[in-house]
Amino acid sequence: LQVDTPGTIGAAYGHPLLAVTGRDRFGLLGALRALPHALSVYPFGESLHYTDARTDAAPARVAEEVTVALAAGGFSDARAAPVAPGIEDVFMQRMQAS
């Protein structure tokens, strides 16, 4: 797909990316996918990676919005935090576009 350094590949991601954690991972997966600006959500290690469809949204603001929405949906222990995209995130994004 692309040959470059991991940092350069990740920098081309173009969307806010969050790591979301909470006890009910399966429930969180569905709740995150139902959010109005969800572009993609998939398991990634101990967290779920949530990609926001808005390219101009500040990642910290998106994390706050997602945490509040999840709490309102009954996931009071859920936390969302911005993370830097890695090669795996770019791969998943490009495979969805195929």
Side-chain angles (χ1 to χ4, degrees):
L1 297 171
Q2 181 178 352
V3 177
D4 213 326
T5 65
T8 302
I9 292 171
Y13 196 67
H15 293 273
L17 178 66
L18 308 177
V20 181
T21 58
R23 285 188 304 270
D24 182 4
R25 284 175 45 106
F26 185 73
L28 282 171
L29 186 68
L32 287 165
R33 287 179 175 165
L35 292 177
H37 298 291
L39 181 62
S40 69
V41 183
Y42 55 89
F44 191 87
E46 295 294 316
S47 65
L48 300 170
H49 273 196
Y50 167 89
T51 302
D52 198 85
R54 300 170 287 180
T55 58
D56 60 345
R61 178 71 180 141
V62 173
E64 182 181 327
E65 291 173 1
V66 167
T67 300
V68 168
L70 291 173
F75 299 95
S76 60
D77 70 321
R79 297 292 174 260
V83 293
I87 292 171
E88 297 88 351
D89 300 300
V90 175
F91 177 79
M92 295 295 287
Q93 182 184 49
R94 290 183 180 175
M95 293 310 297
Q96 287 180 328
S98 298

Short mmCIF file of all heavy atoms in Angstrom, two decimals, residues 22-95:
data_model
loop_
_atom_site.label_atom_id
_atom_site.label_comp_id
_atom_site.label_asym_id
_atom_site.label_seq_id
_atom_site.Cartn_x
_atom_site.Cartn_y
_atom_site.Cartn_z
N GLY A 22 -13.42 0.53 28.47
CA GLY A 22 -14.54 0.34 29.37
C GLY A 22 -14.75 -1.14 29.58
O GLY A 22 -14.21 -1.97 28.84
N ARG A 23 -15.52 -1.49 30.61
CA ARG A 23 -15.73 -2.90 30.95
C ARG A 23 -16.49 -3.67 29.88
O ARG A 23 -16.13 -4.79 29.55
CB ARG A 23 -16.47 -3.02 32.29
CG ARG A 23 -15.62 -2.70 33.49
CD ARG A 23 -16.34 -3.02 34.80
NE ARG A 23 -17.61 -2.34 34.94
CZ ARG A 23 -17.77 -1.13 35.49
NH1 ARG A 23 -16.74 -0.50 35.98
NH2 ARG A 23 -18.95 -0.58 35.58
N ASP A 24 -17.53 -3.10 29.32
CA ASP A 24 -18.39 -3.80 28.36
C ASP A 24 -17.94 -3.50 26.93
O ASP A 24 -18.53 -2.70 26.22
CB ASP A 24 -19.85 -3.37 28.57
CG ASP A 24 -20.83 -4.09 27.65
OD1 ASP A 24 -20.41 -4.98 26.89
OD2 ASP A 24 -22.02 -3.72 27.70
N ARG A 25 -16.86 -4.16 26.51
CA ARG A 25 -16.30 -3.88 25.18
C ARG A 25 -17.29 -4.13 24.06
O ARG A 25 -17.36 -3.36 23.10
CB ARG A 25 -15.03 -4.69 24.95
CG ARG A 25 -13.84 -4.14 25.70
CD ARG A 25 -12.60 -5.00 25.57
NE ARG A 25 -12.29 -5.49 24.26
CZ ARG A 25 -11.30 -5.03 23.50
NH1 ARG A 25 -10.52 -4.08 23.92
NH2 ARG A 25 -11.07 -5.57 22.31
N PHE A 26 -18.06 -5.22 24.14
CA PHE A 26 -19.01 -5.51 23.08
C PHE A 26 -20.10 -4.45 23.03
O PHE A 26 -20.47 -3.97 21.95
CB PHE A 26 -19.62 -6.90 23.26
CG PHE A 26 -20.52 -7.29 22.13
CD1 PHE A 26 -19.99 -7.63 20.90
CD2 PHE A 26 -21.89 -7.31 22.30
CE1 PHE A 26 -20.82 -7.98 19.84
CE2 PHE A 26 -22.73 -7.65 21.25
CZ PHE A 26 -22.19 -7.99 20.01
N GLY A 27 -20.63 -4.06 24.17
CA GLY A 27 -21.63 -2.99 24.21
C GLY A 27 -21.07 -1.67 23.71
O GLY A 27 -21.74 -0.94 22.98
N LEU A 28 -19.83 -1.36 24.09
CA LEU A 28 -19.19 -0.13 23.63
C LEU A 28 -19.01 -0.13 22.13
O LEU A 28 -19.18 0.89 21.46
CB LEU A 28 -17.82 0.04 24.30
CG LEU A 28 -17.81 0.54 25.73
CD1 LEU A 28 -16.41 0.45 26.31
CD2 LEU A 28 -18.34 1.96 25.80
N LEU A 29 -18.66 -1.28 21.58
CA LEU A 29 -18.48 -1.39 20.13
C LEU A 29 -19.74 -0.95 19.40
O LEU A 29 -19.70 -0.12 18.48
CB LEU A 29 -18.10 -2.83 19.77
CG LEU A 29 -17.73 -3.11 18.33
CD1 LEU A 29 -16.42 -2.44 17.96
CD2 LEU A 29 -17.62 -4.62 18.12
N GLY A 30 -20.88 -1.47 19.82
CA GLY A 30 -22.15 -1.10 19.20
C GLY A 30 -22.51 0.35 19.43
O GLY A 30 -22.98 1.05 18.53
N ALA A 31 -22.30 0.83 20.66
CA ALA A 31 -22.63 2.22 20.99
C ALA A 31 -21.76 3.20 20.20
O ALA A 31 -22.26 4.22 19.71
CB ALA A 31 -22.46 2.45 22.49
N LEU A 32 -20.49 2.89 20.06
CA LEU A 32 -19.60 3.76 19.29
C LEU A 32 -19.98 3.78 17.81
O LEU A 32 -19.99 4.83 17.17
CB LEU A 32 -18.14 3.31 19.44
CG LEU A 32 -17.50 3.60 20.79
CD1 LEU A 32 -16.21 2.80 20.95
CD2 LEU A 32 -17.25 5.09 20.96
N ARG A 33 -20.29 2.62 17.27
CA ARG A 33 -20.67 2.56 15.85
C ARG A 33 -21.96 3.31 15.57
O ARG A 33 -22.21 3.74 14.45
CB ARG A 33 -20.78 1.11 15.40
CG ARG A 33 -19.43 0.45 15.27
CD ARG A 33 -19.52 -0.99 14.85
NE ARG A 33 -18.17 -1.54 14.62
CZ ARG A 33 -17.91 -2.82 14.52
NH1 ARG A 33 -18.88 -3.72 14.62
NH2 ARG A 33 -16.66 -3.22 14.31
N ALA A 34 -22.80 3.48 16.59
CA ALA A 34 -24.08 4.19 16.42
C ALA A 34 -23.94 5.71 16.58
O ALA A 34 -24.90 6.44 16.30
CB ALA A 34 -25.09 3.67 17.44
N LEU A 35 -22.78 6.19 16.99
CA LEU A 35 -22.60 7.65 17.14
C LEU A 35 -22.68 8.34 15.78
O LEU A 35 -22.26 7.77 14.77
CB LEU A 35 -21.26 7.95 17.81
CG LEU A 35 -21.14 7.53 19.28
CD1 LEU A 35 -19.74 7.83 19.81
CD2 LEU A 35 -22.18 8.22 20.13
N PRO A 36 -23.22 9.55 15.74
CA PRO A 36 -23.47 10.21 14.45
C PRO A 36 -22.23 10.49 13.60
O PRO A 36 -22.34 10.54 12.38
CB PRO A 36 -24.17 11.51 14.84
CG PRO A 36 -23.90 11.71 16.28
CD PRO A 36 -23.64 10.36 16.86
N HIS A 37 -21.07 10.64 14.22
CA HIS A 37 -19.87 10.96 13.44
C HIS A 37 -18.89 9.79 13.35
O HIS A 37 -17.73 9.98 12.98
CB HIS A 37 -19.17 12.18 14.04
CG HIS A 37 -20.00 13.41 14.02
ND1 HIS A 37 -20.34 14.07 12.86
CD2 HIS A 37 -20.60 14.10 15.01
CE1 HIS A 37 -21.09 15.12 13.14
NE2 HIS A 37 -21.27 15.14 14.45
N ALA A 38 -19.36 8.59 13.66
CA ALA A 38 -18.48 7.41 13.61
C ALA A 38 -18.13 7.06 12.17
O ALA A 38 -19.01 6.88 11.33
CB ALA A 38 -19.14 6.23 14.28
N LEU A 39 -16.85 6.99 11.89
CA LEU A 39 -16.38 6.54 10.59
C LEU A 39 -16.04 5.06 10.65
O LEU A 39 -16.42 4.29 9.78
CB LEU A 39 -15.17 7.36 10.13
CG LEU A 39 -14.59 7.03 8.78
CD1 LEU A 39 -15.64 7.28 7.68
CD2 LEU A 39 -13.35 7.85 8.50
N SER A 40 -15.32 4.67 11.71
CA SER A 40 -15.01 3.26 11.92
C SER A 40 -14.73 3.01 13.41
O SER A 40 -14.33 3.92 14.13
CB SER A 40 -13.80 2.82 11.10
OG SER A 40 -12.61 3.42 11.58
N VAL A 41 -14.98 1.78 13.83
CA VAL A 41 -14.69 1.35 15.20
C VAL A 41 -14.27 -0.11 15.11
O VAL A 41 -14.96 -0.92 14.50
CB VAL A 41 -15.93 1.46 16.12
CG1 VAL A 41 -15.57 1.08 17.55
CG2 VAL A 41 -16.55 2.84 16.07
N TYR A 42 -13.12 -0.42 15.73
CA TYR A 42 -12.67 -1.80 15.73
C TYR A 42 -11.81 -2.07 16.97
O TYR A 42 -11.21 -1.14 17.53
CB TYR A 42 -11.90 -2.15 14.46
CG TYR A 42 -10.73 -1.24 14.18
CD1 TYR A 42 -9.47 -1.51 14.68
CD2 TYR A 42 -10.91 -0.10 13.41
CE1 TYR A 42 -8.42 -0.66 14.43
CE2 TYR A 42 -9.85 0.76 13.16
CZ TYR A 42 -8.61 0.46 13.67
OH TYR A 42 -7.56 1.31 13.43
N PRO A 43 -11.78 -3.33 17.42
CA PRO A 43 -10.96 -3.68 18.58
C PRO A 43 -9.49 -3.49 18.26
O PRO A 43 -9.03 -3.79 17.14
CB PRO A 43 -11.28 -5.16 18.81
CG PRO A 43 -12.56 -5.39 18.11
CD PRO A 43 -12.58 -4.46 16.95
N PHE A 44 -8.75 -3.00 19.24
CA PHE A 44 -7.32 -2.78 19.08
C PHE A 44 -6.65 -3.00 20.43
O PHE A 44 -6.69 -2.12 21.30
CB PHE A 44 -7.05 -1.35 18.58
CG PHE A 44 -5.64 -1.12 18.14
CD1 PHE A 44 -5.25 -1.38 16.83
CD2 PHE A 44 -4.71 -0.64 19.02
CE1 PHE A 44 -3.95 -1.16 16.41
CE2 PHE A 44 -3.40 -0.41 18.63
CZ PHE A 44 -3.01 -0.67 17.32
N GLY A 45 -6.11 -4.17 20.66
CA GLY A 45 -5.50 -4.49 21.95
C GLY A 45 -6.53 -4.42 23.07
O GLY A 45 -7.59 -5.01 22.99
N GLU A 46 -6.23 -3.66 24.10
CA GLU A 46 -7.11 -3.52 25.26
C GLU A 46 -8.19 -2.45 25.07
O GLU A 46 -9.00 -2.24 25.96
CB GLU A 46 -6.27 -3.17 26.50
CG GLU A 46 -5.31 -4.27 26.92
CD GLU A 46 -6.05 -5.51 27.38
OE1 GLU A 46 -7.03 -5.39 28.14
OE2 GLU A 46 -5.65 -6.61 26.97
N SER A 47 -8.18 -1.78 23.93
CA SER A 47 -9.14 -0.70 23.71
C SER A 47 -9.89 -0.92 22.40
O SER A 47 -9.67 -1.90 21.70
CB SER A 47 -8.41 0.65 23.67
OG SER A 47 -7.53 0.71 22.56
N LEU A 48 -10.77 0.00 22.11
CA LEU A 48 -11.43 0.08 20.82
C LEU A 48 -10.92 1.34 20.14
O LEU A 48 -10.81 2.39 20.79
CB LEU A 48 -12.95 0.15 20.98
CG LEU A 48 -13.61 -1.01 21.69
CD1 LEU A 48 -15.06 -0.70 22.01
CD2 LEU A 48 -13.51 -2.27 20.85
N HIS A 49 -10.60 1.26 18.87
CA HIS A 49 -10.19 2.46 18.15
C HIS A 49 -11.40 3.02 17.40
O HIS A 49 -12.01 2.34 16.59
CB HIS A 49 -9.05 2.15 17.19
CG HIS A 49 -7.71 2.26 17.84
ND1 HIS A 49 -6.54 2.33 17.13
CD2 HIS A 49 -7.36 2.31 19.15
CE1 HIS A 49 -5.53 2.44 17.97
NE2 HIS A 49 -6.00 2.41 19.20
N TYR A 50 -11.72 4.27 17.75
CA TYR A 50 -12.84 4.99 17.17
C TYR A 50 -12.28 6.07 16.27
O TYR A 50 -11.47 6.90 16.70
CB TYR A 50 -13.68 5.64 18.28
CG TYR A 50 -14.69 6.66 17.79
CD1 TYR A 50 -15.98 6.26 17.43
CD2 TYR A 50 -14.36 8.00 17.68
CE1 TYR A 50 -16.90 7.19 16.97
CE2 TYR A 50 -15.28 8.93 17.23
CZ TYR A 50 -16.55 8.52 16.87
OH TYR A 50 -17.45 9.43 16.42
N THR A 51 -12.69 6.08 15.00
CA THR A 51 -12.30 7.12 14.06
C THR A 51 -13.51 8.00 13.80
O THR A 51 -14.58 7.51 13.43
CB THR A 51 -11.80 6.53 12.73
OG1 THR A 51 -10.70 5.67 13.01
CG2 THR A 51 -11.36 7.62 11.77
N ASP A 52 -13.33 9.29 14.00
CA ASP A 52 -14.39 10.27 13.76
C ASP A 52 -14.36 10.70 12.30
O ASP A 52 -13.29 10.88 11.72
CB ASP A 52 -14.18 11.48 14.67
CG ASP A 52 -15.43 12.32 14.81
OD1 ASP A 52 -16.26 11.99 15.68
OD2 ASP A 52 -15.56 13.29 14.04
N ALA A 53 -15.52 10.86 11.70
CA ALA A 53 -15.63 11.22 10.28
C ALA A 53 -15.23 12.66 10.01
O ALA A 53 -14.86 12.99 8.88
CB ALA A 53 -17.05 10.97 9.79
N ARG A 54 -15.27 13.51 11.02
CA ARG A 54 -14.95 14.92 10.82
C ARG A 54 -13.44 15.12 10.74
O ARG A 54 -12.73 14.82 11.68
CB ARG A 54 -15.54 15.76 11.95
CG ARG A 54 -17.07 15.65 12.04
CD ARG A 54 -17.59 16.28 13.29
NE ARG A 54 -17.25 15.41 14.44
CZ ARG A 54 -17.58 15.68 15.68
NH1 ARG A 54 -18.24 16.78 15.98
NH2 ARG A 54 -17.25 14.86 16.66
N THR A 55 -12.96 15.66 9.65
CA THR A 55 -11.53 15.88 9.49
C THR A 55 -11.06 17.16 10.17
O THR A 55 -9.88 17.32 10.42
CB THR A 55 -11.15 15.95 8.00
OG1 THR A 55 -11.90 16.99 7.37
CG2 THR A 55 -11.42 14.62 7.30
N ASP A 56 -11.99 18.05 10.51
CA ASP A 56 -11.62 19.33 11.10
C ASP A 56 -11.88 19.41 12.60
O ASP A 56 -11.70 20.46 13.21
CB ASP A 56 -12.36 20.47 10.40
CG ASP A 56 -13.88 20.34 10.51
OD1 ASP A 56 -14.37 19.25 10.88
OD2 ASP A 56 -14.57 21.33 10.24
N ALA A 57 -12.29 18.32 13.21
CA ALA A 57 -12.60 18.32 14.65
C ALA A 57 -11.34 18.07 15.47
O ALA A 57 -10.52 17.21 15.13
CB ALA A 57 -13.64 17.25 14.96
N ALA A 58 -11.19 18.83 16.55
CA ALA A 58 -10.05 18.65 17.45
C ALA A 58 -10.19 17.31 18.19
O ALA A 58 -11.25 17.04 18.77
CB ALA A 58 -9.97 19.80 18.44
N PRO A 59 -9.16 16.49 18.17
CA PRO A 59 -9.24 15.18 18.83
C PRO A 59 -9.65 15.24 20.30
O PRO A 59 -10.45 14.41 20.75
CB PRO A 59 -7.83 14.60 18.66
CG PRO A 59 -7.33 15.25 17.40
CD PRO A 59 -7.89 16.64 17.44
N ALA A 60 -9.17 16.22 21.04
CA ALA A 60 -9.54 16.33 22.46
C ALA A 60 -11.02 16.62 22.61
O ALA A 60 -11.69 16.09 23.51
CB ALA A 60 -8.71 17.41 23.15
N ARG A 61 -11.56 17.45 21.74
CA ARG A 61 -12.99 17.78 21.78
C ARG A 61 -13.83 16.54 21.41
O ARG A 61 -14.85 16.26 22.03
CB ARG A 61 -13.29 18.94 20.83
CG ARG A 61 -14.74 19.32 20.76
CD ARG A 61 -15.18 19.99 22.05
NE ARG A 61 -16.60 20.34 21.92
CZ ARG A 61 -17.45 20.21 22.91
NH1 ARG A 61 -17.06 19.82 24.09
NH2 ARG A 61 -18.70 20.53 22.74
N VAL A 62 -13.39 15.79 20.41
CA VAL A 62 -14.08 14.57 20.02
C VAL A 62 -14.08 13.57 21.17
O VAL A 62 -15.09 12.94 21.47
CB VAL A 62 -13.46 13.96 18.75
CG1 VAL A 62 -14.07 12.60 18.44
CG2 VAL A 62 -13.62 14.90 17.56
N ALA A 63 -12.94 13.44 21.86
CA ALA A 63 -12.84 12.52 23.00
C ALA A 63 -13.83 12.90 24.08
O ALA A 63 -14.50 12.04 24.67
CB ALA A 63 -11.42 12.51 23.55
N GLU A 64 -13.95 14.20 24.34
CA GLU A 64 -14.91 14.66 25.35
C GLU A 64 -16.34 14.36 24.92
O GLU A 64 -17.14 13.85 25.72
CB GLU A 64 -14.73 16.17 25.56
CG GLU A 64 -15.66 16.74 26.62
CD GLU A 64 -15.46 18.25 26.77
OE1 GLU A 64 -14.33 18.74 26.59
OE2 GLU A 64 -16.47 18.92 27.07
N GLU A 65 -16.68 14.63 23.67
CA GLU A 65 -18.02 14.36 23.16
C GLU A 65 -18.35 12.87 23.25
O GLU A 65 -19.46 12.50 23.64
CB GLU A 65 -18.14 14.81 21.70
CG GLU A 65 -18.12 16.30 21.49
CD GLU A 65 -18.08 16.68 20.01
OE1 GLU A 65 -18.09 15.78 19.14
OE2 GLU A 65 -18.03 17.89 19.74
N VAL A 66 -17.41 12.03 22.86
CA VAL A 66 -17.63 10.59 22.88
C VAL A 66 -17.81 10.09 24.31
O VAL A 66 -18.73 9.30 24.59
CB VAL A 66 -16.48 9.85 22.15
CG1 VAL A 66 -16.52 8.36 22.42
CG2 VAL A 66 -16.54 10.13 20.66
N THR A 67 -16.99 10.55 25.23
CA THR A 67 -17.11 10.13 26.63
C THR A 67 -18.46 10.54 27.20
O THR A 67 -19.12 9.74 27.88
CB THR A 67 -15.96 10.73 27.46
OG1 THR A 67 -14.71 10.26 26.93
CG2 THR A 67 -16.07 10.33 28.92
N VAL A 68 -18.91 11.75 26.91
CA VAL A 68 -20.21 12.22 27.40
C VAL A 68 -21.34 11.41 26.78
O VAL A 68 -22.28 10.98 27.48
CB VAL A 68 -20.38 13.73 27.10
CG1 VAL A 68 -21.81 14.18 27.31
CG2 VAL A 68 -19.43 14.55 27.95
N ALA A 69 -21.27 11.14 25.48
CA ALA A 69 -22.32 10.36 24.81
C ALA A 69 -22.39 8.94 25.36
O ALA A 69 -23.49 8.41 25.58
CB ALA A 69 -22.08 10.34 23.30
N LEU A 70 -21.24 8.34 25.60
CA LEU A 70 -21.24 6.98 26.14
C LEU A 70 -21.79 6.95 27.56
O LEU A 70 -22.55 6.04 27.92
CB LEU A 70 -19.82 6.40 26.10
CG LEU A 70 -19.29 6.10 24.70
CD1 LEU A 70 -17.83 5.69 24.77
CD2 LEU A 70 -20.13 5.03 24.00
N ALA A 71 -21.44 7.94 28.38
CA ALA A 71 -21.98 8.02 29.74
C ALA A 71 -23.49 8.15 29.71
O ALA A 71 -24.20 7.51 30.48
CB ALA A 71 -21.34 9.17 30.50
N ALA A 72 -24.00 8.97 28.79
CA ALA A 72 -25.45 9.15 28.65
C ALA A 72 -26.12 7.85 28.20
O ALA A 72 -27.29 7.62 28.50
CB ALA A 72 -25.76 10.27 27.67
N GLY A 73 -25.36 7.01 27.51
CA GLY A 73 -25.89 5.73 27.05
C GLY A 73 -25.72 4.60 28.04
O GLY A 73 -25.98 3.43 27.71
N GLY A 74 -25.25 4.90 29.24
CA GLY A 74 -25.13 3.89 30.28
C GLY A 74 -23.74 3.31 30.47
O GLY A 74 -23.55 2.39 31.25
N PHE A 75 -22.76 3.85 29.77
CA PHE A 75 -21.38 3.36 29.89
C PHE A 75 -20.58 4.35 30.73
O PHE A 75 -19.69 5.04 30.24
CB PHE A 75 -20.75 3.19 28.51
CG PHE A 75 -21.47 2.20 27.64
CD1 PHE A 75 -22.43 2.62 26.73
CD2 PHE A 75 -21.20 0.85 27.75
CE1 PHE A 75 -23.09 1.71 25.93
CE2 PHE A 75 -21.86 -0.07 26.96
CZ PHE A 75 -22.82 0.35 26.06
N SER A 76 -20.89 4.42 32.02
CA SER A 76 -20.30 5.43 32.89
C SER A 76 -18.80 5.23 33.12
O SER A 76 -18.11 6.18 33.48
CB SER A 76 -21.02 5.44 34.24
OG SER A 76 -20.91 4.18 34.87
N ASP A 77 -18.29 4.04 32.89
CA ASP A 77 -16.86 3.80 33.09
C ASP A 77 -16.05 4.00 31.80
O ASP A 77 -14.83 3.89 31.81
CB ASP A 77 -16.62 2.39 33.62
CG ASP A 77 -16.91 1.32 32.59
OD1 ASP A 77 -17.90 1.48 31.84
OD2 ASP A 77 -16.17 0.33 32.52
N ALA A 78 -16.71 4.30 30.70
CA ALA A 78 -16.01 4.44 29.42
C ALA A 78 -15.18 5.72 29.39
O ALA A 78 -15.59 6.75 29.89
CB ALA A 78 -17.01 4.46 28.27
N ARG A 79 -14.00 5.60 28.81
CA ARG A 79 -13.10 6.73 28.65
C ARG A 79 -12.56 6.73 27.23
O ARG A 79 -12.22 5.67 26.68
CB ARG A 79 -11.91 6.64 29.62
CG ARG A 79 -12.30 6.69 31.07
CD ARG A 79 -12.85 8.07 31.48
NE ARG A 79 -13.34 8.06 32.85
CZ ARG A 79 -14.61 7.96 33.19
NH1 ARG A 79 -15.55 7.82 32.28
NH2 ARG A 79 -14.98 7.97 34.46
N ALA A 80 -12.49 7.90 26.64
CA ALA A 80 -11.94 8.07 25.30
C ALA A 80 -10.78 9.04 25.36
O ALA A 80 -10.87 10.08 26.02
CB ALA A 80 -13.03 8.60 24.35
N ALA A 81 -9.71 8.72 24.67
CA ALA A 81 -8.53 9.58 24.65
C ALA A 81 -7.93 9.57 23.24
O ALA A 81 -7.88 8.51 22.60
CB ALA A 81 -7.50 9.09 25.65
N PRO A 82 -7.48 10.72 22.77
CA PRO A 82 -6.83 10.77 21.45
C PRO A 82 -5.57 9.91 21.44
O PRO A 82 -4.84 9.85 22.44
CB PRO A 82 -6.48 12.24 21.27
CG PRO A 82 -7.35 12.98 22.23
CD PRO A 82 -7.58 12.05 23.38
N VAL A 83 -5.33 9.24 20.34
CA VAL A 83 -4.10 8.47 20.13
C VAL A 83 -3.56 8.77 18.74
O VAL A 83 -4.32 9.15 17.84
CB VAL A 83 -4.31 6.95 20.30
CG1 VAL A 83 -4.64 6.59 21.73
CG2 VAL A 83 -5.37 6.42 19.36
N ALA A 84 -2.28 8.60 18.59
CA ALA A 84 -1.65 8.79 17.28
C ALA A 84 -1.91 7.55 16.42
O ALA A 84 -1.74 6.43 16.88
CB ALA A 84 -0.16 9.00 17.44
N PRO A 85 -2.33 7.75 15.18
CA PRO A 85 -2.56 6.61 14.30
C PRO A 85 -1.25 5.88 13.98
O PRO A 85 -0.21 6.51 13.77
CB PRO A 85 -3.12 7.24 13.02
CG PRO A 85 -3.50 8.63 13.38
CD PRO A 85 -2.66 9.02 14.55
N GLY A 86 -1.32 4.59 13.96
CA GLY A 86 -0.17 3.76 13.60
C GLY A 86 -0.41 3.09 12.26
O GLY A 86 -1.44 3.31 11.59
N ILE A 87 0.50 2.27 11.89
CA ILE A 87 0.41 1.57 10.60
C ILE A 87 -0.87 0.73 10.53
O ILE A 87 -1.54 0.69 9.49
CB ILE A 87 1.65 0.69 10.38
CG1 ILE A 87 2.88 1.58 10.19
CG2 ILE A 87 1.48 -0.23 9.19
CD1 ILE A 87 4.19 0.82 10.17
N GLU A 88 -1.23 0.08 11.64
CA GLU A 88 -2.43 -0.77 11.64
C GLU A 88 -3.68 0.06 11.39
O GLU A 88 -4.59 -0.38 10.68
CB GLU A 88 -2.56 -1.51 12.97
CG GLU A 88 -1.44 -2.48 13.25
CD GLU A 88 -0.25 -1.83 13.97
OE1 GLU A 88 -0.22 -0.58 14.11
OE2 GLU A 88 0.65 -2.55 14.39
N ASP A 89 -3.74 1.25 11.98
CA ASP A 89 -4.91 2.12 11.78
C ASP A 89 -5.02 2.55 10.32
O ASP A 89 -6.11 2.55 9.75
CB ASP A 89 -4.82 3.36 12.69
CG ASP A 89 -4.76 2.98 14.15
OD1 ASP A 89 -5.73 2.35 14.64
OD2 ASP A 89 -3.76 3.31 14.81
N VAL A 90 -3.90 2.91 9.72
CA VAL A 90 -3.91 3.30 8.31
C VAL A 90 -4.32 2.12 7.44
O VAL A 90 -5.11 2.27 6.50
CB VAL A 90 -2.53 3.87 7.90
CG1 VAL A 90 -2.50 4.16 6.40
CG2 VAL A 90 -2.21 5.14 8.69
N PHE A 91 -3.80 0.94 7.76
CA PHE A 91 -4.18 -0.25 7.01
C PHE A 91 -5.68 -0.49 7.06
O PHE A 91 -6.33 -0.72 6.04
CB PHE A 91 -3.42 -1.46 7.55
CG PHE A 91 -3.81 -2.76 6.87
CD1 PHE A 91 -3.32 -3.09 5.63
CD2 PHE A 91 -4.71 -3.62 7.49
CE1 PHE A 91 -3.68 -4.27 5.00
CE2 PHE A 91 -5.09 -4.81 6.88
CZ PHE A 91 -4.57 -5.13 5.62
N MET A 92 -6.25 -0.44 8.27
CA MET A 92 -7.69 -0.64 8.41
C MET A 92 -8.48 0.40 7.63
O MET A 92 -9.48 0.08 6.96
CB MET A 92 -8.09 -0.62 9.89
CG MET A 92 -7.52 -1.75 10.71
SD MET A 92 -8.14 -3.37 10.21
CE MET A 92 -9.80 -3.28 10.85
N GLN A 93 -8.05 1.65 7.67
CA GLN A 93 -8.74 2.70 6.94
C GLN A 93 -8.69 2.45 5.43
O GLN A 93 -9.70 2.58 4.74
CB GLN A 93 -8.10 4.06 7.27
CG GLN A 93 -8.77 5.23 6.60
CD GLN A 93 -8.04 6.53 6.88
OE1 GLN A 93 -6.83 6.61 6.72
NE2 GLN A 93 -8.79 7.53 7.31
N ARG A 94 -7.54 2.08 4.96
CA ARG A 94 -7.40 1.86 3.51
C ARG A 94 -8.14 0.62 3.04
O ARG A 94 -8.64 0.57 1.92
CB ARG A 94 -5.93 1.79 3.14
CG ARG A 94 -5.29 3.15 3.28
CD ARG A 94 -3.86 3.18 2.86
NE ARG A 94 -3.33 4.52 3.02
CZ ARG A 94 -2.07 4.82 2.82
NH1 ARG A 94 -1.22 3.89 2.45
NH2 ARG A 94 -1.66 6.06 3.01
N MET A 95 -8.25 -0.37 3.89
CA MET A 95 -8.99 -1.57 3.51
C MET A 95 -10.48 -1.31 3.44
O MET A 95 -11.19 -1.91 2.66
CB MET A 95 -8.69 -2.72 4.48
CG MET A 95 -7.27 -3.23 4.42
SD MET A 95 -6.67 -3.61 2.75
CE MET A 95 -7.76 -4.93 2.27
#
